[in-house]
Amino acid sequence: MVRSDHGGEYYGRAAPYGQIPILFAHFLQENGIVAQYSTPGKPQQNGVAKRHNRTLMDMVRSMLCNSMLPVSLWMEALKTTAHILNRVPSKLVPKTPNGRKSNMNYLRLWGWPAEAKLFNPYIRKLDLRL
């Protein structure tokens, strides 16, 4: 089940005789996912989602302000914050799915220089990896 407001990004655009579904609405129908929409003009019904989105955007803003990266990387910051929040224990989910404490030692500070390796499909198992 997917719960959302009746926004155009979830269902489609308004037309004179109702709304015209977009690809996301068709995807839900084809995969047997029930779309549950709240009443238009009643943001009280989406309180948890609105609060979660606000938390995400506050974290994104903080990450971008504390780094010297351009604002155009906001989507990468959003992906990182979602990744972090999905692994941090909460009142409802005190542990990870495997029952252990989450380990995020692989994360580095946001905005620090990194080195990217180019993918080489022709490298074999015992070749040098420079």
Side-chain angles (χ1 to χ4, degrees):
M1 179 181 297
V2 173
R3 291 185 183 173
S4 67
D5 56 2
H6 221 101
E9 66 272 13
Y10 298 111
Y11 187 77
R13 60 184 172 83
Y17 303 105
Q19 285 191 325
I20 301 171
I22 58 172
L23 289 175
F24 184 66
H26 289 300
F27 173 80
L28 295 177
Q29 289 174 349
E30 290 171 3
N31 292 297
I33 301 171
V34 177
Q36 192 177 60
Y37 300 106
S38 63
T39 308
K42 298 286 183 186
Q44 305 90 304
Q45 294 179 344
N46 297 325
V48 174
K50 298 261 184 213
R51 180 65 187 133
H52 190 68
N53 287 341
R54 182 176 172 190
T55 302
L56 284 170
M57 292 312 294
D58 286 346
M59 289 176 71
V60 166
R61 225 174 280 108
S62 176
M63 288 169 68
L64 289 175
C65 287
N66 290 325
S67 69
M68 301 307 282
L69 295 174
V71 178
S72 61
L73 292 175
W74 72 272
M75 184 57 76
E76 297 303 319
L78 181 63
K79 289 177 189 176
T80 303
T81 58
H83 179 82
I84 291 169
L85 286 178
N86 285 336
R87 283 153 182 80
V88 173
S90 66
K91 289 180 184 176
L92 293 174
V93 186
K95 292 187 178 180
T96 58
N98 60 9
R100 292 183 283 173
K101 292 176 79 175
S102 59
N103 182 5
M104 292 188 283
N105 290 336
Y106 58 91
L107 291 177
R108 300 291 176 250
L109 288 177
W110 175 259
W112 280 41
E115 183 178 315
K117 283 188 157 186
L118 296 177
F119 175 69
N120 184 355
Y122 302 108
I123 197 164
R124 294 182 304 210
K125 189 173 186 173
L126 297 176
D127 288 346
L128 289 177
R129 297 181 185 209
L130 301 174

